[in-house]
Amino acid sequence: MKWQGRRESGNVEDRRGMGGKTLVGGGIGGVIVIVIVLLLGGNPASLLGGMDSGTATQTAGNYQGTEQEEQLADFVSVVLADTEDVWGDVFKQQGLTYTDPTLVIYSGSVQSACGTASSAVGPFYCPGDQKLYIDLSFYDELKQQFQAPGDFAMAYVVAHEVGHHVQNLLGTMEKIEPYRQKLSEKEFNTHYQVRLELQADYYAGVWAHYEQGKNLLEQGDLDEALTAASAVGDDTIQQKAQGYVVPDSFTHGTSEQRKRWFNKGFESGTIAGGDTFGVSDSNL
């Protein structure tokens, strides 16, 4: 991706070197659930809100990032700026106003309106404060643990989280939240949670569509994003983690679904084409 020397977003909070209490009260089982669900960019409100995080405090420290990390911080700031431009224009075309989210870069642990989380949860979006949270060490996890290298793989992660922000602004999250209490976990995940995540993948593809239109993508970028989307599919993660797949426990969709919906967004470039809630299970 062509990003050097381009505009960086002013909506970035650098909290690296600041500490906070990590999650307590959930037990190891709760931590495992959070890792599986949130590592892929889910809505942490329902999980973090149900755990006692104690009274978290943050203390500024003298954080010194590596040269690679500082470059990555600049990169995600440019990606965020591009999402601001793209979604500002898309919303304007729909007669809507886009409100920019804030990207929080942290190290170790962080407190959000959704609770306090360690970097083990991976990148996440908190609708309560309209902020994206990313520990830049996740870039190394993408390369090493998920075998999804490349700067555009990380750009996909940021764009996916921004996709959740788009859902929040459009009222999608608010509409489906009541069903979380009415349905069983399995039913909610199958009919709503998975579709929410696939729609965020679609919106990430919409953003990439406009990046391509501005001639900002380089050879191999799209493949990097698709590889990342595939690597974080529920079936792929479960197979690697436990040696078998449990479809009833899916929260984000299969690798094939995640790739397909991202690609749909990339080809379409419109909000309308991402109605994951309006398709049948067989066509999801």
Side-chain angles (χ1 to χ4, degrees):
M1 178 180 175
K2 302 173 184 176
W3 67 274
Q4 287 91 345
R6 297 181 46 233
R7 181 179 79 86
E8 296 182 18
S9 173
N11 299 304
V12 177
E13 292 181 19
D14 192 341
R15 298 191 198 172
R16 292 176 296 169
M18 303 177 70
K21 283 189 176 181
T22 55
L23 289 169
V24 297
I28 186 65
V31 173
I32 291 174
V33 170
I34 289 175
V35 170
I36 292 175
V37 175
L38 298 184
L39 184 60
L40 317 183
N43 174 5
S46 61
L47 292 178
L48 299 184
M51 291 188 173
D52 177 15
S53 61
T55 302
T57 58
Q58 295 183 327
T59 304
N62 297 319
Y63 188 87
Q64 184 65 46
T66 65
E67 181 178 350
Q68 180 190 37
E69 185 178 342
E70 295 306 313
Q71 186 178 55
L72 186 58
D74 293 340
F75 172 73
V76 296
S77 182
V78 170
V79 171
L80 183 65
D82 283 358
T83 65
E84 294 167 352
D85 294 340
V86 167
W87 286 112
D89 289 342
V90 171
F91 269 52
K92 186 176 182 179
Q93 293 169 10
Q94 300 292 319
L96 303 172
T97 300
Y98 182 73
T99 303
D100 296 337
T102 296
L103 172 63
V104 177
I105 302 174
Y106 72 96
S107 58
S109 63
V110 69
Q111 184 171 8
S112 73
C114 295
T116 307
S118 76
S119 58
V121 306
F124 66 92
Y125 172 73
C126 177
D129 55 21
Q130 298 191 3
K131 294 182 179 181
L132 295 64
Y133 294 83
I134 294 181
D135 186 322
L136 297 176
S137 64
F138 186 71
Y139 181 67
D140 291 328
E141 291 185 42
L142 274 178
K143 291 190 296 182
Q144 299 169 12
Q145 181 177 343
F146 294 103
Q147 287 82 54
D151 58 4
F152 210 68
M154 190 65 171
Y156 154 75
V157 171
V158 175
H160 175 94
E161 301 307 333
V162 172
H164 284 306
H165 179 63
V166 171
Q167 292 171 323
N168 193 25
L169 294 181
L170 293 176
T172 307
M173 288 185 168
E174 184 179 3
K175 289 178 182 178
I176 72 169
E177 191 59 29
Y179 294 100
R180 191 184 299 274
Q181 305 301 325
K182 298 178 181 179
L183 301 176
S184 68
E185 182 178 359
K186 172 186 172 182
E187 290 174 324
F188 181 80
N189 287 342
T190 300
H191 298 296
Y192 295 99
Q193 186 65 40
V194 168
R195 294 168 187 268
L196 190 74
E197 295 300 332
L198 293 178
Q199 188 179 67
D201 282 331
Y202 175 90
Y203 289 154
V206 170
W207 168 76
H209 169 91
Y210 287 97
E211 293 293 276
Q212 175 81 323
K214 291 184 282 188
N215 196 33
L216 295 175
L217 300 191
E218 298 175 306
Q219 184 175 2
D221 279 346
L222 183 59
D223 288 337
E224 290 175 3
L226 292 172
T227 296
S230 177
V232 293
D234 285 324
D235 52 342
T236 298
I237 288 181
Q238 289 186 1
Q239 185 64 43
K240 288 183 178 181
Q242 59 195 23
Y244 58 91
V245 175
V246 184
D248 287 346
S249 67
F250 286 178
T251 58
H252 288 70
T254 66
S255 294
E256 188 276 332
Q257 288 174 323
R258 300 200 71 170
K259 287 174 59 179
R260 179 156 46 85
W261 279 99
F262 174 87
N263 203 51
K264 279 186 177 183
F266 181 76
E267 293 178 349
S268 170
T270 67
I271 290 179
D275 184 14
T276 56
F277 297 93
V279 300
S280 64
D281 291 344
S282 61
N283 292 322
L284 189 60

